Each structure stands twice: as structure tokens, then as C-alpha cells.
Amino acid sequence: MQQTKMMGTKERVFHAVLFELVALSLIIPLTAVFTGKGTGSLAMVGVGLSLYTVVWNYVYNLWFDKACAVQREQRSLKTRILHTMGFEGGLVFVTVPVVAWFLNISILAALALEAGLLVFFFFYAILFNWGYDKARARYLASREGVNKSLHRTGFGSSRI
């Protein structure tokens, strides 16, 4: 299998923002149903935590990609599970007190909410990243094919 290039800064930001936008569109209505809290309050918490998570996502994934010897699209399920556990574990220490404070709930209630979110994000992150990596590999392969075709016809050369 052909090795693909590492993600650059723009793509990492795109990946993180897309991950959070899709997650928020799923999690806010679900959380409102289970907690009885208004979607407005949950959206404010969600957006705030998402901004923090985007920064954490960028830093954590940059480190993980450098530490992991396997290309993203070739990672095993075990590697993806370990990746997700590390990422989510790093968020717990910040999110629980913030959620408890903002929603005016106890730390125990915030831990219970966090447990539900961890289960959701555990599976969501594995599926999202796997799908993203597969789509990225296909996109890069098709782009490479287009570049080769253009080069063969003379449109991709410096002669123009």
C-alpha cells in the first residue's frame, strides 16, 4: 500500500473542527433528553468544551502521529482504541469540574454525565477517525491520479 503524507496544520485544524461540529450536532440533543437541561445551556457548555477540545485534539494528535510508527490509514483497531483512551483520559480532568460548575450540578452528577459522554465519544472517535482516514486516503489517491493524468497530457508540467 502506498504511504500517504502526514497531515499538515490546516488539515489538522479542519479535522478537529469537523470532528467537533459533527459531535455537537449529535450530542447536544441527546444530552438534553437525558439530563432535562435546556439545549441552550448544553450548547454553551458544548461549544466551550469543544474549543478546548480542538486545541487538545491538535496537540494530542500531533504527538500521537509522531509517536506512532504506523501511517494513520493503516492503524489497527487496537491502536485506535489506545489512541482514543489516551485522548479521552486527557479531557476528563478538565471537563468534569467545568461541567459541574456551569450546569450547577454536583461533581458526582458531572462524573455520571461525563461517563455517558466518554462512552459516546469512545465509539464516535474510533468511527469518525477511521472513516476520515479512509476518505482521506481515497481523496489523496484520486488527487494523485489526476496529477499523473495532467502530467501525461502536458497540463501538469512546467511547459505551460
Side-chain angles (χ1 to χ4, degrees):
M1 179 178 271
Q2 182 181 353
Q3 228 178 6
T4 58
K5 67 178 187 166
M6 296 287 282
M7 290 181 8
T9 299
K10 287 180 183 177
E11 186 181 1
R12 287 184 185 282
V13 170
F14 172 76
H15 174 269
V17 170
L18 182 64
F19 179 93
E20 292 302 320
L21 287 174
V22 172
L24 282 172
S25 70
L26 296 170
I27 203 69
I28 290 172
L30 288 171
T31 306
V33 168
F34 288 110
T35 65
K37 298 285 184 180
T39 55
S41 295
L42 292 170
M44 288 178 61
V45 170
V47 169
L49 292 178
S50 286
L51 292 173
Y52 169 75
T53 302
V54 165
V55 173
W56 173 238
N57 185 311
Y58 180 83
V59 171
Y60 181 81
N61 283 307
L62 185 62
W63 168 82
F64 194 88
D65 285 350
K66 287 181 181 179
C68 186
V70 179
Q71 289 292 320
R72 290 181 61 98
E73 67 276 0
Q74 296 173 351
R75 292 181 184 164
S76 67
L77 181 58
K78 180 181 176 183
T79 301
R80 291 177 184 282
I81 290 170
L82 291 173
H83 170 268
T84 301
M85 288 173 64
F87 179 81
E88 294 299 331
L91 288 177
V92 169
F93 294 110
V94 172
T95 58
V96 169
V98 169
V99 168
W101 170 76
F102 193 83
L103 293 178
N104 197 25
I105 58 176
S106 69
I107 291 289
L108 190 58
L111 278 170
L113 181 58
E114 183 68 24
L117 292 173
L118 282 173
V119 169
F120 169 82
F121 277 104
F122 180 81
F123 293 105
Y124 169 74
I126 291 169
L127 293 172
F128 178 90
N129 285 309
W130 206 331
Y132 184 92
D133 293 345
K134 295 293 184 187
R136 179 180 188 268
R138 278 191 221 114
Y139 169 75
L140 291 175
S142 70
R143 199 170 87 181
E144 182 65 27
V146 168
N147 288 341
K148 284 180 182 177
S149 294
L150 288 174
H151 186 68
R152 279 194 300 266
T153 61
F155 289 109
S157 70
S158 59
R159 292 181 273 165
I160 297 178

